Amino acid sequence: MAEANVVPLDFWPSSYGMRVKIALAEKGISYECKQEDLEAKSSLILEMNPVHKMIPVLIHNGKSICESLNIVQYIDEAWNLKPSLLPSDLYKRSQARFC
Ligand SMILES: N[C@@H](CCC(=O)N[C@@H](CS)C(=O)NCC(=O)O)C(=O)O
């Protein structure tokens, strides 16, 4: 059963969107993905990411989190009872975030 309060806005060929879906899968979080048409953006994406108007966006409990690496870090911290997605070593963590 998908968690109704976890809604990634996605565009299926996007590697940035895939990054978010992998992070959710690694944490064992079920979700209901909404696919965006980037040629005709929905009012939802414009409302949830008014700055860049891009996917991916993670909507969690009605609040939006934007930018794939920021979303991955949010997922890691929000579901912190599961093993961390990022290395514990400070330098290795910074390397993992650099891409
Ligand atoms: N730096 C962003 C890049 C996201 C991005 O480039 N998204 C593309 C799809 S792959 C997009 O939404 N493009 C729509 C547009 O530029 O209007 C991230 O890491 O989330």
Side-chain angles (χ1 to χ4, degrees), residues 20-86:
V20 170
K21 289 181 285 186
I22 289 171
L24 289 168
E26 284 291 326
K27 290 281 185 171
I29 303 158
S30 56
Y31 56 87
E32 190 177 337
C33 208
K34 288 197 174 154
Q35 294 296 323
E36 276 294 321
D37 176 354
L38 297 181
E39 299 295 315
K41 293 174 184 169
S42 70
S43 56
L44 186 61
I45 188 86
L46 300 178
E47 180 190 341
M48 292 294 158
N49 188 354
V51 177
H52 297 300
K53 304 172 181 64
M54 285 182 173
I55 65 93
V57 173
L58 183 71
I59 307 173
H60 185 212
N61 293 326
K63 293 180 182 167
S64 62
I65 302 100
C66 303
E67 284 283 326
S68 58
L69 284 176
N70 187 39
I71 296 169
V72 169
Q73 187 163 352
Y74 177 88
I75 291 168
D76 210 18
E77 291 170 356
W79 284 275
N80 61 4
L81 296 180
K82 299 276 176 69
S84 181
L85 299 171
L86 295 169

